[in-house]
Amino acid sequence: EHILNNYEFHWGLGRGSFGKVFLASLPMKKERVAVKVIRKTPREDQKDMIKKEARILKVTSGSPFLCRGFAAFQTNQYAFLVMEYAGGGSLRNLLSIKHHLKKRHIIFYSAELICGLQYLHSLGIIHRDLKPENILLTCEGHMKIADFGVAAEGVFDHKTIGGKTGTNWYMAPEMLANKKYNAAIDWWSFGIILSEMATGRSPFDSYQDDVRSSMLTEKPVFPDWMSETLQDLLQKLLKKRPHKRLGVNGNIREHPLYKKISWEDV
Ligand code: ADP
Ligand code: MG
Ligand code: MG
């Protein structure tokens, strides 16, 4: 009998461009899981993408801030990725309720994201689609970076790769300009997400023309009421030139915004 029949499916948790995610459980176990269901197409590159996502989900258990995978299997029609269930909804969901977050919450959440992201990068994986929809919260209120569907593997040290993927709004200038890039693109997205946590909007959306061209040419704009420390961090994350960007250049953990964080305990 197929392994799929062991799972009891409850209800849908969300959907993205590639799959539908359901809350499910094994009848013998109390623990609930999230199962991403992807309808298979005959395309070879889709097969590779699913395999890659499953492969990455096998190594995410090394960080508490990455969504971990438990199993992967398939039927003729569908591929199934079984993951830990993050019951607190997505960061997008949180931002749509709260509009923007308090400074101490921004510090707490972003410190967890830094840990998750640095771990991912230490494995040579760049996420390439960091955005609030792909950042989840656990029931206890911790961050989980999820959705490794368009991630790239084997990007260590000074290696750069090509290929445009992800979401325009969060896309680093070098990728927008079709240049080669490295892990610095994730730090750019992280900077946009951090701005959104703080103000509810992108620091580029006050420009008249489209956000994409302002990301390439304009300086980010922050409201006066934003603390100088946070503005300083954001400015350093949203550097157009990737090698100057905090995250790849310098130790982000040492930024004054995080002076009260003892990183060993995060
Ligand atoms: P896609 O690759 O299609 O974008 P995602 O992996 O981002 O799929 O999942 C789509 C949505 O499903 C997410 O934005 C989130 O709302 C929900 N979701 C995904 N994984 C989980 C999970 N582990 N726990 C709870 N909800 C999840
Ligand atoms: Mg997604
Ligand atoms: Mg995806």
Side-chain angles (χ1 to χ4, degrees):
E1 202 185 15
H2 198 276
I3 183 168
L4 175 64
N5 298 326
N6 293 320
Y7 286 88
E8 198 177 315
F9 284 79
H10 304 297
W11 54 77
L13 293 168
R15 64 185 313 162
S17 35
F18 298 99
K20 250 184 164 172
V21 179
F22 295 90
L23 182 70
S25 56
L26 290 165
M28 294 301 155
K29 283 188 172 173
K30 262 204 183 149
E31 188 188 26
R32 291 179 297 175
V33 291
V35 182
K36 184 157 165 176
V37 183
I38 304 164
R39 182 191 279 277
K40 295 203 290 190
T41 64
R43 294 179 54 168
E44 203 58 38
D45 57 340
Q46 194 213 28
K47 221 188 249 175
D48 293 340
M49 274 178 75
I50 296 170
K51 272 193 196 154
K52 177 197 61 191
E53 191 166 356
R55 207 160 46 231
I56 294 175
L57 281 169
K58 276 189 178 174
V59 294
T60 49
S61 57
S63 165
F65 308 114
L66 301 177
C67 185
R68 61 191 289 193
F70 297 132
F73 51 84
Q74 53 182 317
T75 60
N76 288 334
Q77 276 194 317
Y78 298 98
F80 300 84
L81 300 171
V82 184
M83 306 168 281
E84 76 179 294
Y85 168 53
S90 68
L91 178 61
R92 168 62 66 221
N93 185 241
L94 181 71
L95 290 175
S96 66
I97 298 165
K98 298 265 188 216
H99 185 61
H100 56 81
L101 310 176
K102 290 194 179 91
K103 192 176 169 197
R104 61 190 165 89
H105 293 146
I106 295 169
I107 295 170
F108 171 76
Y109 287 142
S110 65
E112 294 198 335
L113 291 176
I114 288 170
C115 292
L117 201 53
Q118 286 182 334
Y119 183 74
L120 201 62
H121 291 168
S122 76
L123 300 175
I125 299 166
I126 54 181
H127 188 285
R128 299 203 290 187
D129 199 14
L130 270 190
K131 56 180 176 180
E133 290 78 358
N134 290 336
I135 295 170
L136 309 176
L137 284 111
T138 66
C139 293
E140 292 79 30
H142 292 287
M143 297 265 106
K144 293 270 176 187
I145 298 174
D147 193 0
F148 306 99
V150 299
E153 301 166 296
V155 195
F156 289 101
D157 302 322
H158 298 294
K159 193 180 167 191
T160 56
I161 56 166
K164 213 183 227 178
T165 183
T167 310
N168 276 337
W169 194 262
Y170 301 93
M171 201 178 280
E174 61 273 25
M175 195 196 267
L176 277 173
N178 292 309
K179 291 181 189 155
K180 290 206 148 193
Y181 55 83
N182 62 12
I185 61 161
D186 284 343
W187 292 110
W188 172 279
S189 312
F190 174 74
I192 303 283
I193 294 164
L194 217 58
S195 315
E196 248 179 273
M197 284 189 196
T199 68
R201 57 196 292 194
S202 160
F204 296 102
D205 74 355
S206 56
Y207 291 101
Q208 294 297 318
D209 47 356
D210 73 317
V211 176
R212 274 203 296 169
S213 60
S214 20
M215 289 201 289
L216 286 169
T217 52
E218 312 278 3
K219 285 207 161 98
V221 182
F222 307 110
D224 299 337
W225 53 261
M226 188 191 281
S227 83
E228 280 190 22
T229 343
L230 184 53
Q231 286 198 35
D232 181 78
L233 175 67
L234 291 174
Q235 237 129 31
K236 288 172 175 157
L237 284 166
L238 297 172
K239 293 260 189 237
K240 312 278 185 223
R241 283 195 260 168
H243 60 278
K244 295 236 165 122
R245 209 169 286 154
L246 189 58
V248 289
N249 178 28
N251 190 352
I252 188 169
R253 296 185 182 206
E254 280 160 17
H255 190 276
L257 188 75
Y258 301 112
K259 65 174 184 290
K260 285 188 186 152
I261 298 279
S262 71
W263 289 97
E264 292 73 32
D265 303 336
V266 175

